[in-house]
Amino acid sequence: MKYALFAICLRLVQACNNCGQGADGNPHHWDRQRRCDHTDYHPKCQVCEGVGGIPTGDENDEITLTSCTPVANASQIDPASLIKPVWASEWTVLNYHEVLIGKKNDPFCFQTFPGNDSAGKLCYRYEYGVQTYDFRHARALREDLVVPTVLGTLQTELLHHGQYMWVVNHFPWYELGIHQCICVQVSGGSYGHQNTSKKAIYPVQKNWTDQMFYIGREKLGVEYIDKVELLDHWAFGPHHVWSRPANGTIVRMWQPFNGLQVFVEPSGTNPGTVDPQKFADIPPSYCKKGGSPFRINCNDTGYYVAPKKDVSSTCSKDANCEATPADFKRARTRKPRDEYRASSFVNMSMTLNKWLTSGSAPVKECSEFDFEELHGLEAALYLLRDSQLDEVYQKVTDNRRAFNSTLADFQKTWTELQALTVGHKNQTQLVGVIRDSLCHEVVMWYVHHLAEDAKQLLGQSGVQIPLLPYQSHREGTGTCKGPVGSKTHEQICQKHEETVTCMSCHSDVYR
Ligand SMILES: *[C@@H]1O[C@H](CO)[C@@H](O)[C@H](O)[C@H]1NC(C)=O
Ligand SMILES: *[C@@H]1O[C@H](CO)[C@@H](O)[C@H](O)[C@H]1NC(C)=O
Ligand SMILES: *[C@@H]1O[C@H](CO)[C@@H](O)[C@H](O)[C@H]1NC(C)=O
Ligand SMILES: *[C@@H]1O[C@H](CO)[C@@H](O)[C@H](O)[C@H]1NC(C)=O
Ligand SMILES: *[C@@H]1O[C@H](CO)[C@@H](O)[C@H](O)[C@H]1NC(C)=O
Ligand SMILES: *[C@@H]1O[C@H](CO)[C@@H](O)[C@H](O)[C@H]1NC(C)=O
Ligand SMILES: *[C@@H]1O[C@H](CO)[C@@H](O)[C@H](O)[C@H]1NC(C)=O
Ligand SMILES: *[C@@H]1O[C@H](CO)[C@@H](O)[C@H](O)[C@H]1NC(C)=O
Ligand SMILES: *[C@@H]1O[C@H](CO)[C@@H](O)[C@H](O)[C@H]1NC(C)=O
């Protein structure tokens, strides 16, 4: 009998590997500090559990958990003395920080929105700024955020009204200062590429915190204000809210797969005022026809329209920068056609430059560019590239394959090389070699990794593309001539060799 019971217990334990771990079974196996939902969790969530912190990745230890000291559990506090967290119908929080967590749809996490479960790869995006909520008139929520990314600092406006959401990204100058609008229909499940027949999700209702359950009182470390505060811990499903016992002011919120939010403003989400201008432009003009040149999944009047195909690159809906059959044909052609080939370096640069000059973008001699400009241009091209073309190159391990590294890797390589030249007796010459190498790389990306439509877009924006340099540093005439001697020379010249490999395909000589 004893043994039989034991066997049943064992079976229960085995069958229950993932039950009591939230509605999605907690696929990343986060511990009870990182995740402890109020429902579907066993054992039940206690004081100082599910507190979260600043997450950086999906692994359980990829998070800096906040500090928490239990003060009292729910049964030790008189319920009549409790004030529920206040989520008023109108307020503006001028100082707001968050780590947004959402499904990963693109390598930069530009198009990331919180989902209804934690499955799959997630993005963790830190941002800060202003949050405005108006449930009385506009019935909308708006965030004006600053987002530090690998491509530099991005300004983002996020607007949620009805079942629609608009994300307007403003890229920094070296991303051409372009605006991009992403139109989203928020529906049950992931907010990413959704199935429109799913139930729509509207901006959070005022007083939504009325439904929260009390967990207990804690001394909790609050990120971004770097203070330990005595707070009441409330939960609803996977959502946790911490508010001040005296007046219910919300200080911090955590949802293990939606994000961390800290309201630095002393008034939190208490009743406040709203600037009506914030909601005067719905849908945002950037999302309508004639607005931003990069509109993703938006129709002419600025509403979400389902994408025909999943394109992960940041291309505009209008321009539909997907590679065309002609682009693919070019990608699969391993040897350049005769008119693109030539017999010497100078001759070859001139031949290829002839084609560049007759293309859709304005051009400028490589020698007229400086390092910063080329660096920025490279980032812009990375953003505009068509990843499907790279897949073709990767498959045949073609010299044109380029994007196995992140943009940060590319930029680090160049920045480090440039740093080597500082104070070097041949600084001017070496900087010239680096500039020429960058021109080669940028031209190769431009020619072989952008679909024709993206090239035209770039052309319209007035961005200049460098021409190929005429001086060969590999032929023994330039700075890389003969036994060059210094380590710095060698590193820079070796990188140069890598970037001019295109010449070995476009040349009649180096084969
Ligand atoms: C609350 O704390 C008291 C004292 O530590 C303990 O006896 C009680 O079981 C706790 N209640 C819950 C629901 O954890
Ligand atoms: C919830 O809404 C009601 C009605 O508008 C209001 O009287 C009440 O104060 C609100 N509760 C909170 C906690 O803001
Ligand atoms: C999330 O939403 C999707 C689509 O609506 C649904 O299939 C899935 O079961 C949901 N996940 C959870 C944990 O509710
Ligand atoms: C969308 O969801 C509905 C209901 O869940 C389903 O019947 C339909 O097949 C889905 N459509 C697509 C394109 O996934
Ligand atoms: C709420 O109470 C705290 C003290 O616990 C106080 O510092 C804060 O100003 C109060 N906030 C409001 C909006 O009354
Ligand atoms: C855009 O989509 C919205 C919502 O589906 C629709 O009402 C509107 O007519 C569409 N506009 C155009 C120009 O198709
Ligand atoms: C390249 O060299 C060939 C033969 O030497 C010559 O016919 C052609 O005009 C040259 N091209 C350019 C652009 O100078
Ligand atoms: C690119 O990276 C993948 C995964 O790291 C690797 O398997 C592949 O061989 C790499 N391709 C090239 C061309 O380096
Ligand atoms: C490096 O600089 C020295 C002194 O200015 C000069 O003599 C030499 O030719 C330069 N070497 C190269 C490879 O440019």
Side-chain angles (χ1 to χ4, degrees), residues 394 397 401 404:
Q394 297 277 1
T397 47
R401 72 186 187 274
N404 229 23

Side-chain angles (χ1 to χ4, degrees), residues 9-274:
C9 286
L10 203 67
R11 206 167 320 132
L12 275 178
V13 169
Q14 280 167 347
C16 240
N17 239 344
N18 286 326
C19 66
Q21 289 275 289
D24 63 2
N26 189 19
H28 299 294
H29 307 293
W30 291 327
D31 63 23
R32 292 175 64 86
Q33 264 66 52
R34 182 159 177 174
R35 177 170 186 184
C36 184
D37 301 356
H38 184 256
T39 39
D40 293 321
Y41 244 74
H42 302 290
K44 250 184 127 41
C45 202
Q46 302 290 320
V47 177
C48 282
E49 289 187 325
V51 292
I54 297 182
T56 53
D58 294 337
E59 294 294 323
N60 183 53
D61 60 0
E62 289 178 308
I63 185 170
T64 306
L65 291 167
T66 195
S67 66
C68 186
T69 313
V71 172
N73 62 24
S75 55
Q76 293 167 313
I77 304 270
D78 173 10
S81 72
L82 288 173
I83 300 177
K84 287 224 161 153
V86 178
W87 191 275
S89 53
E90 268 182 281
W91 46 261
T92 302
V93 172
L94 295 173
N95 193 349
Y96 162 77
H97 293 251
E98 76 174 0
V99 179
L100 180 103
I101 310 176
K103 305 271 179 191
K104 194 161 186 162
N105 292 318
D106 68 292
F108 306 113
C109 296
F110 288 149
Q111 301 184 48
T112 194
F113 305 101
N116 69 335
D117 62 38
S118 65
K121 272 194 184 321
L122 303 175
C123 285
Y124 299 86
R125 199 175 80 183
Y126 168 68
E127 49 205 25
Y128 62 93
V130 175
Q131 192 173 149
T132 315
Y133 179 73
D134 179 1
F135 200 74
R136 194 161 289 156
H137 307 107
R139 297 194 153 252
L141 177 77
R142 172 169 167 159
E143 297 180 8
D144 293 273
L145 300 169
V146 174
V147 191
T149 75
V150 286
L151 295 180
T153 303
L154 196 77
Q155 311 261 352
T156 285
E157 172 198 326
L158 186 149
L159 191 64
H160 187 178
H161 176 249
Q163 51 181 302
Y164 297 102
M165 196 191 283
W166 296 271
V167 183
V168 177
N169 289 322
H170 182 184
F171 292 95
W173 65 267
Y174 58 79
E175 283 299 344
L176 332 173
I178 48 175
H179 283 85
Q180 171 202 51
C181 173
I182 307 168
C183 292
V184 182
Q185 184 171 46
V186 195
S187 58
S190 158
Y191 297 38
H193 300 156
Q194 36 319 82
N195 175 341
T196 45
S197 64
K198 280 183 213 149
K199 203 166 158 269
I201 303 247
Y202 294 87
V204 63
Q205 292 189 358
K206 68 155 183 163
N207 271 352
W208 69 276
T209 45
D210 278 358
Q211 353 174 34
M212 301 211 88
F213 295 91
Y214 189 56
I215 303 281
R217 195 156 288 172
E218 300 162 353
K219 277 191 182 147
L220 191 83
V222 184
E223 298 87 348
Y224 309 114
I225 52 180
D226 290 328
K227 265 208 302 218
V228 173
E229 281 207 54
L230 180 71
L231 297 171
D232 278 337
H233 180 172
W234 301 82
F236 182 72
H239 300 269
H240 296 257
V241 170
W242 285 265
S243 56
R244 297 204 173 104
N247 49 29
T249 300
I250 296 177
V251 175
R252 181 181 185 271
M253 308 206 288
W254 168 251
Q255 205 277 26
F257 46 90
N258 285 179
L260 171 72
Q261 305 187 311
V262 173
F263 299 99
V264 177
E265 202 95 322
S267 59
T269 55
N270 283 302
T273 55
V274 161

